[in-house]
Amino acid sequence: AAEALNGYGSAHWRELGITQDYFDRRGVFAAVMWSAPMLVVSAGMLVHTLWATSALLVDVGRAKVAHKMRAEERARAAGG
């Protein structure tokens, strides 16, 4: 599909208002223009996922510490 789109762009680049022929036979220009925005969005999603995961790990660690402290208080209250 990228080759066909680049073929059309190569034949009609002046009509499209472009000052230089960026279109090649293998479709690299169309593939880059199509995939670059998706790669940027994917990288943003990855960063957000890592941030959310780290926040959840901190919450779980705090919950573990609080649970351990409550268990120790109960043990002290029951034993002494």
Side-chain angles (χ1 to χ4, degrees):
E3 290 179 18
L5 183 62
N6 262 16
Y8 178 81
S10 182
H12 303 284
W13 64 273
R14 286 185 182 94
E15 298 167 17
L16 296 171
I18 301 173
T19 58
Q20 186 175 351
D21 185 11
Y22 295 106
F23 304 96
D24 61 342
R25 282 188 7 206
R26 296 182 58 203
V28 174
F29 179 74
V32 167
M33 296 314 285
W34 177 259
S35 60
M38 291 190 289
L39 288 171
V40 170
V41 169
S42 297
M45 290 172 61
L46 175 64
V47 168
H48 174 67
T49 301
L50 291 173
W51 178 80
T53 302
S54 67
L56 285 173
L57 285 172
V58 168
D59 290 345
V60 168
R62 287 178 181 162
K64 282 183 180 180
V65 169
H67 178 71
K68 184 177 178 181
M69 290 177 67
R70 282 193 302 266
E72 288 175 357
E73 281 182 24
R74 283 189 212 126
R76 267 189 252 125

